[in-house]
Amino acid sequence: MSFGVTYSRTDDAILKTQTESIDETGVIISSYDNIGEVRTFTGSVFFNWQPVSSLVLKAYIDGGLYRIKSDEVNLSQKDYTFNLFGWIDYYFPKNWNAGVNVTHFKQAPEPFGTVDPITTYSVHVSKSWLKGALSANLEAATPFSEYSKLVNKTKYAMFSTTRINYMETQYVCLNVSYTFKRGKESKLKRDLSLTNSDQSSGVQ
């Protein structure tokens, strides 16, 4: 298991702002400028646990708090980020393996905005033959939903916007691989006749 903590501060950060055109077209104008200060405090943890010889549990989690502040656009915003990647693998007799992968992702929103998290998962079954030289893996991701919807919303004093991105996360794939081996196997033997005199050498 490993842990990590990070703090950062960025002055004159490049932030995105949106304004409505002064004419009657209602066009939204997006621009970027060094107008803000961004502070983040994040942490991460990774663990790899094998409670029994046939079961492996792994996870990586990171996230934390951040703040955006800009006097030029009258902005003081707080939010959080959170990312989770989890794996469960079980090893059966006769070189069979099955597992589940889960991903939960929430990125930092735009200024004056919010963003919804995304969760995806996949299941896989694999089998190997010929002492591991030949292997096949069948994987299916998000079988009950073809797309994952990423929703970004921004709200200003005079207008609001909503942007929806549909990411295709559903798939089924079969991977087959074969590793060619060349050469002869050799067994390494330790030469017990070698002696070590390091402890009695050197400058006295």
Side-chain angles (χ1 to χ4, degrees):
M1 180 178 290
S2 62
F3 303 89
V5 178
T6 303
Y7 172 79
S8 68
R9 172 179 172 174
T10 304
D11 295 327
D12 296 326
I14 300 176
L15 300 180
K16 177 183 178 181
T17 59
Q18 293 181 320
T19 57
E20 189 175 6
S21 61
I22 58 176
D23 54 27
E24 298 180 356
T25 60
V27 175
I28 305 301
I29 303 173
S30 298
S31 61
Y32 296 84
D33 203 353
N34 301 85
I35 58 174
E37 174 190 275
V38 178
R39 296 186 182 186
T40 62
F41 182 79
T42 58
S44 64
V45 58
F46 171 79
F47 73 85
N48 186 344
W49 183 36
Q50 193 169 356
V52 294
S53 60
S54 57
L55 179 63
V56 178
L57 306 174
K58 293 187 294 183
Y60 175 77
I61 304 171
D62 73 74
L65 304 174
Y66 81 99
R67 180 184 179 185
I68 303 176
K69 185 177 181 180
S70 175
D71 294 333
E72 294 188 28
V73 294
N74 192 24
L75 171 64
S76 180
Q77 178 177 337
K78 296 180 181 180
D79 211 305
Y80 74 97
T81 60
F82 182 78
N83 303 308
L84 166 66
F85 306 92
W87 302 267
I88 301 176
D89 285 287
Y90 192 87
Y91 296 88
F92 296 91
K94 298 182 179 181
N95 300 322
W96 282 95
N97 164 248
V100 179
N101 301 335
V102 179
T103 301
H104 182 81
F105 176 72
K106 183 187 182 301
Q107 65 185 18
E110 298 176 356
F112 297 100
T114 59
V115 61
D116 292 345
I118 293 178
T119 302
T120 63
Y121 64 94
S122 65
V123 295
H124 66 269
V125 177
S126 62
K127 166 71 173 172
S128 63
W129 301 267
L130 304 177
K131 296 182 179 181
L134 176 63
S135 62
N137 180 72
L138 178 63
E139 182 176 4
T142 56
F144 302 105
S145 178
E146 183 176 359
Y147 297 97
S148 290
K149 185 169 63 174
L150 178 61
V151 181
N152 288 272
K153 297 180 179 179
T154 56
K155 186 176 182 180
Y156 294 85
M158 302 300 296
F159 66 93
S160 62
T161 64
T162 300
R163 186 176 69 252
I164 301 177
N165 296 327
Y166 290 91
M167 302 189 308
E168 188 172 359
T169 55
Q170 185 183 72
Y171 64 85
V172 177
C173 67
L174 175 64
N175 297 320
V176 180
S177 64
Y178 182 81
T179 302
F180 294 91
K181 298 180 180 180
R182 293 185 60 185
K184 297 181 180 180
E185 294 183 358
S186 61
K187 295 182 179 180
L188 299 178
K189 295 183 179 180
R190 184 178 180 183
D191 190 349
L192 300 179
S193 64
L194 297 177
T195 59
N196 188 340
S197 59
D198 290 345
Q199 298 297 327
S200 58
S201 63
V203 179
Q204 299 295 327

